Amino acid sequence: MIDMQALQTLAWTVLKIFIIIIPITLTVAYYTYAERKVIGYMQSRVGPNRVGPWGLLQPFADVFKLLFKEIILPANANRFLFYLAPVLTLGPALAAWAVVPFSDWMILADINASLLYVLALTSMGVYGIIVAGWASNSKYAFLGAMRSAAQIISYEIAMGFALVCVLIAAGDISLKGIVQAQQGGIFDWFWLPLLPMFVVYFISGVAETNRAPFDVAEGESEIVAGFHVEYAGAAFAVFFLAEYANMILISALTALLFAGGWLSPFENVPMLGNTMLATPGIGWFLAKTVFFMFMFLWFRATFPRYRYDQIMRLGWKVLIPLTIVWVVVAALMVLLGWIERGA
Amino acid sequence: MAEIRNYTMNFGPQHPAAHGVLRLILELDGETVVRADPHIGLLHRATEKLAESKPFNHSIGYMDRLDYVSMMCNEHAYVRAIEQLLGIDVPKRAQYIRTMFDEITRILNHLLWVGTNGLDLGAMTVFLYAFREREQLMDCYEAVSGARMHATYYRPGGVYRDLPQTMPKRLETRWTKGKDLRRVNAWREGSLLDFLQAFCDDFERRVDDYETLLTDNRIWKQRTVGIGVVAPERALQLGFTGPMLRGSGVQWDLRKHQPYACYDEVDFDIVLGVNGDCYDRYLVRIEEMRQSKRIIQQCILWLRQHPGPVMPKNFKVVPPTREEMKHDMEAMIHHFKLFTEGYIVPEGETYAAVEAPKGEFGCYLISDASNKPFRVHLRAPGFVHLSSMNEMLSGHMLADVPAMIGTQDIVLGEIDR
């Protein structure tokens, strides 16, 4: 006998998953458009403007172009792993969204250890890259995979310790709890007491998503396109989708962990009272996420690329010691009552 | 335990950072380069051999295509070699025009260099900024010669024609109209010299922009300081010239030490580096752009005050005007002779070199008293610099390979010839 109740829950969950996945996919599409436009204007050119009004249909043109192209399997490549790799990259990038609270009730899976879950899934993405580099049977791809593996391991540690500081400050390990612990306006968010950690986390996030200036795994001018040099068509599109989904995820997480998520920056400003500006809501969360997404593009237009060993040095010799020190500092701040949990 | 072997990798010829069709066989120990073996010849067009089968003037256009980012400097070396054998005098105004366009070419080359070197190291914005300015200078090329790159503007005896009195304006397009169009045409109301004047006044600010992006950028410094260090003695032994040599701190500039054209009449400084690494060579090139701007400004001033001929009245070498041909039989004959068999260059051999943006570009010319060169050899700075690739690269990392190709500023067109 089929349990109608369970079936209904299942259908409802699948629906909710689609409600999250479809906007994310669309955001990715328009993030690529925004990237080209924003960087275009930063570089005194106009970016895409031919497909549709203001080039707004450009992402779809790109998607269709990629979908209709042949996926070329290189000679002597491992067929199974070659096709598996993009899936391995995209899966975690989307799965992590399950626990992201868009506002205090808009959340797919409100689990109590959601931060751990996110940390685990963002680390999973690198397997896709390593497998892709290995299965391609190309020296460039192989170098890209090796670089990526080393880089992600290093930055995962710094990122983890930065998150430990957030945990100490919030006294909670669920993303919802962390946001709720930041109540009280812009100066009560964790970016201020944990400022170095905020910077470290965002730098590690940029490094984890393989974006400029840490894009050594792709390394356009050195190893051509790194791990996905042999990928074409839809398989490449999946890597692309995963990269951008990860960037949006990191932006969203930064907004949640350090910038008060859906909370309003003007919560305790007396003049505003209970107007729109002072009330928390999904709008604030999206605005903050978009701001951090913009930072990714800004970095890309501004910085040269680090060399592989310099990235390692930055990670191990600068970021990790700093985070370890700040764990102690954060603990002291909580002990001395400088950080109020959910004031 | 299994024996660990080094890893051989093919860098190019189809590689985004190979600057054309350079092929490097890299032997890698992990990411460290043990040996770099440049393979050239993929752009070989037999320029020197082709020149032997054509009247002298026909090969000027080939010179543009050697180092295709410093076109007029290559022409300059070739026409100077011919002039030396012919023993003809070049009018002062033509000399100043050549000086000015050599410096425009230097800026063109260095702009492309700073852009592509930035791109090689991941800084993409400076590339587009540099190309914005390149566009303007390309327009100057177009205004005097009709071609944006392969100008064929210099001639033995002077230059093809005088500077235009009007600067061509941009036309209206779907994307540029109204206020935008007026903005892009703002400098183009007067003559070419007015346009260049406006460009020079604006250029200092533009170079400052590039420097803001790169010079004090921590990442940029990490990528270039201490990379590819060449000691001054070694740079001389390797036969370096141009910014590669000056970056190591050796004071050598043909414009000062063996002045040609009007370089002894204009005021400029030789830019020297100290450490001989990629960063110093970067600083040298940036400062050379500012110096070139200074020279151009002085040339503009002189050219404004001194109108005159740009070709000698020697009709054995220089074609007569159309008007003269209408009533002068001798002019008609000169014209016919020049455009059928060219001119005869006295027997002898000579070497003429100019300070091209990349270094000493020389032309060794032997004439056997015919209308074609007996032998032309072109000394390309890039070839000499590229032969030091292995020495400069050994011990560096894979990511430094594009930095090194960039800093040598090689163009395969002149290397393969």
Side-chain angles (χ1 to χ4, degrees):
Chain A
M1 192 67 196
I2 305 162
D3 187 347
M4 282 310 284
Q5 186 82 38
L7 208 62
Q8 211 169 20
T9 325
L10 187 70
W12 182 228
T13 312
V14 170
L15 186 71
K16 279 201 281 192
I17 289 174
F18 274 103
I19 289 174
I20 295 177
I21 296 278
I22 289 169
I24 286 175
T25 320
L26 279 176
T27 315
V28 167
Y30 277 95
Y31 195 18
T32 62
Y33 171 79
E35 171 164 37
R36 294 168 67 177
K37 272 287 184 198
V38 167
I39 295 185
Y41 280 109
M42 284 178 177
Q43 295 172 341
S44 66
R45 52 194 178 89
V46 285
N49 64 354
R50 298 299 167 105
V51 190
W54 305 290
L56 275 171
L57 296 177
Q58 184 70 42
F60 295 101
D62 291 340
V63 166
F64 288 126
K65 181 199 78 177
L66 285 173
L67 289 183
F68 288 126
K69 277 195 166 181
E70 182 190 358
I71 304 176
I72 300 160
L73 185 76
N76 297 327
N78 185 319
R79 176 184 293 266
F80 175 70
L81 289 180
F82 187 79
Y83 291 130
L84 180 70
V87 183
L88 273 185
T89 319
L90 183 63
L94 293 179
W97 284 93
V99 296
V100 172
F102 293 92
S103 76
D104 50 357
W105 58 272
M106 272 189 260
I107 177 167
L108 179 66
D110 190 4
I111 53 177
N112 56 8
S114 50
L115 192 60
L116 276 183
Y117 171 83
V118 166
L119 200 57
L121 277 181
T122 48
S123 323
M124 287 285 289
V126 69
Y127 286 101
I129 293 177
I130 296 171
V131 168
W134 175 255
S136 299
N137 188 32
S138 155
K139 289 178 178 178
Y140 286 113
F142 182 63
L143 275 175
M146 288 208 304
R147 287 176 170 196
S148 186
Q151 180 186 339
I152 300 232
I153 289 168
S154 319
Y155 279 79
E156 198 67 34
I157 300 172
M159 199 177 206
F161 274 115
L163 293 184
V164 167
C165 295
V166 176
L167 297 187
I168 292 172
D172 199 334
I173 200 167
S174 77
L175 288 170
K176 198 170 154 185
I178 289 170
V179 175
Q180 278 160 352
Q182 303 182 53
Q183 248 154 30
I186 190 164
F187 296 111
D188 289 288
W189 299 346
F190 287 154
W191 69 267
L192 189 59
L194 302 179
L195 187 61
M197 293 306 98
F198 169 54
V199 176
V200 167
Y201 179 81
F202 199 63
I203 292 176
S204 310
V206 177
E208 283 238 335
T209 47
N210 282 325
R211 291 291 298 181
F214 301 101
D215 54 345
V216 289
E218 287 179 38
E220 172 76 31
S221 57
E222 300 139 30
I223 50 173
V224 194
F227 63 94
H228 59 47
V229 67
E230 300 291 349
Y231 282 85
F236 172 75
V238 170
F239 272 121
F240 207 70
L241 184 66
E243 180 181 329
Y244 281 78
N246 266 325
M247 282 156 68
I248 302 170
L249 181 70
I250 294 289
S251 308
L253 286 175
T254 315
L256 287 170
L257 298 171
F258 294 96
W262 60 84
L263 300 175
S264 158
F266 313 110
E267 232 165 72
N268 287 338
V269 181
M271 279 176 295
L272 291 169
N274 273 334
T275 54
M276 267 266 286
L277 276 176
T279 40
I282 187 170
W284 288 115
F285 172 66
L286 294 182
K288 290 167 192 170
T289 308
V290 166
F291 172 74
F292 290 118
M293 281 159 68
F294 176 77
M295 298 286 280
F296 273 94
L297 309 184
W298 197 359
F299 291 162
R300 180 161 174 225
T302 311
F303 293 127
R305 185 183 304 113
Y306 267 111
R307 205 171 65 198
Y308 165 68
D309 60 320
Q310 290 164 347
I311 291 190
M312 292 293 122
R313 194 172 62 202
L314 179 72
W316 288 97
K317 291 192 178 166
V318 180
L319 299 187
I320 293 178
L322 184 68
T323 47
I324 293 174
V325 169
W326 214 262
V327 169
V328 181
V329 175
L332 282 175
M333 284 205 279
V334 172
L335 214 60
L336 297 171
W338 291 356
I339 299 178
E340 294 173 64
R341 289 170 177 166
Chain B
M1 203 179 129
E3 192 197 343
I4 295 174
R5 277 180 304 139
N6 285 342
Y7 194 79
T8 311
M9 204 169 83
N10 207 1
F11 191 96
Q14 300 292 331
H15 190 285
H19 283 215
V21 287
L22 173 65
R23 181 179 175 212
L24 282 176
I25 311 289
L26 297 176
E27 196 180 316
L28 298 176
D29 176 11
E31 288 244 344
T32 312
V33 178
V34 181
R35 201 168 57 88
D37 184 9
H39 284 206
I40 60 167
L42 292 145
L43 199 58
H44 182 64
R45 290 160 300 181
T47 307
E48 292 169 1
K49 191 71 193 166
L50 278 170
E52 290 173 17
S53 62
K54 292 183 167 35
F56 283 90
N57 269 13
H58 289 200
S59 302
I60 300 174
Y62 280 140
M63 300 301 138
D64 291 316
R65 288 154 178 83
L66 289 170
D67 175 359
Y68 41 76
V69 278
S70 39
M71 294 72 73
M72 287 201 196
C73 288
N74 308 343
E75 290 174 24
H76 201 165
Y78 181 65
V79 299
R80 274 191 68 218
I82 299 172
E83 281 160 10
Q84 282 178 9
L85 282 183
L86 283 171
I88 53 172
D89 285 330
V90 181
K92 197 68 178 281
R93 186 171 168 86
Q95 296 280 32
Y96 261 99
I97 293 176
R98 283 184 185 180
T99 309
M100 186 172 79
F101 268 94
D102 274 13
E103 293 311 310
I104 290 177
T105 309
R106 195 176 315 280
I107 295 183
L108 273 174
N109 179 77
H110 285 357
L111 280 176
L112 183 104
W113 176 82
V114 73
T116 50
N117 198 28
L119 202 60
D120 287 344
L121 301 183
M124 61 192 291
T125 302
V126 67
F127 175 78
L128 286 133
Y129 284 4
F131 266 64
R132 181 183 56 197
E133 271 70 73
R134 261 175 73 84
E135 274 308 296
Q136 316 277 10
L137 292 178
M138 289 286 197
D139 287 348
C140 295
Y141 261 53
E142 195 178 359
V144 293
S145 72
R148 293 172 70 75
M149 270 181 89
H150 303 306
T152 326
Y153 180 54
Y154 295 178
R155 292 282 187 282
V159 293
Y160 160 59
R161 62 175 184 188
D162 205 352
L163 302 173
Q165 284 309 304
T166 53
M167 187 71 192
K169 291 196 180 62
R170 290 271 166 83
L171 298 179
E172 184 177 298
T173 66
R174 245 177 94 191
W175 315 103
T176 317
K177 49 192 164 192
K179 210 171 70 185
D180 288 340
L181 189 67
R182 278 200 294 283
R183 187 172 48 79
V184 295
N185 279 335
W187 294 351
R188 292 159 202 268
E189 297 300 330
S191 67
L192 173 80
L193 288 177
D194 295 334
F195 177 80
L196 270 172
Q197 182 80 54
F199 177 85
C200 288
D201 293 343
D202 187 59
F203 190 59
E204 197 73 26
R205 187 169 67 89
R206 302 297 189 184
V207 180
D208 288 344
D209 276 357
Y210 316 143
E211 289 218 73
T212 314
L213 275 170
L214 299 178
T215 304
D216 288 326
N217 188 319
R218 281 183 65 100
I219 305 176
W220 180 257
K221 281 179 115 168
Q222 284 187 17
R223 288 300 305 273
T224 51
V225 174
I227 304 293
V229 180
V230 183
E233 309 80 49
R234 192 63 194 142
L236 284 169
Q237 284 167 356
L238 287 166
F240 282 6
T241 45
M244 289 289 286
L245 185 63
R246 293 193 285 272
S248 295
V250 182
Q251 190 162 7
W252 178 253
D253 190 327
L254 289 181
R255 293 176 293 173
K256 281 271 193 222
H257 293 97
Q258 295 170 8
Y260 54 94
C262 290
Y263 281 111
D264 47 353
E265 292 172 28
V266 290
D267 188 28
F268 68 99
D269 299 322
I270 303 180
V271 191
L272 289 182
V274 178
N275 304 314
D277 55 6
C278 287
Y279 188 65
D280 278 23
R281 287 188 284 268
Y282 156 78
L283 292 177
V284 165
R285 286 183 173 118
I286 288 282
E287 187 54 35
E288 276 193 8
M289 287 202 273
R290 298 185 199 271
Q291 295 297 332
S292 293
K293 186 214 73 179
R294 255 177 84 192
I295 299 175
I296 294 175
Q297 281 174 326
Q298 294 169 47
C299 290
I300 292 171
L301 213 63
W302 193 93
L303 286 166
R304 278 191 200 284
Q305 292 159 355
H306 299 81
V310 293
M311 281 283 218
K313 287 275 173 201
N314 179 351
F315 296 129
K316 299 292 176 213
V317 182
V318 177
T321 62
R322 281 268 148 197
E323 202 191 335
E324 281 168 318
M325 280 165 58
K326 303 291 182 208
H327 54 76
D328 185 359
M329 188 61 202
E330 205 167 339
M332 186 76 185
I333 295 168
H334 276 133
H335 182 269
F336 180 76
K337 289 287 272 182
L338 263 174
F339 284 91
T340 50
E341 64 163 27
Y343 46 82
I344 305 290
V345 171
E347 198 173 334
E349 53 190 86
T350 189
Y351 177 75
V354 295
E355 183 73 24
K358 294 181 168 65
E360 176 179 334
F361 186 92
C363 176
Y364 183 73
L365 188 69
I366 304 178
S367 170
D368 56 356
S370 72
N371 62 342
K372 298 173 186 126
F374 176 75
R375 175 81 171 94
V376 178
H377 173 73
L378 299 158
R379 187 229 187 253
F383 182 80
V384 181
H385 297 158
L386 181 65
S387 43
S388 71
M389 181 61 86
N390 184 38
E391 183 174 329
M392 284 177 75
L393 208 49
S394 298
H396 285 301
M397 301 196 76
L398 177 60
D400 295 325
V401 176
M404 216 67 75
I405 297 176
T407 197
Q408 292 192 344
D409 196 9
I410 49 180
V411 158
L412 271 292
E414 63 166 8
I415 290 169
D416 290 342
R417 295 196 287 279

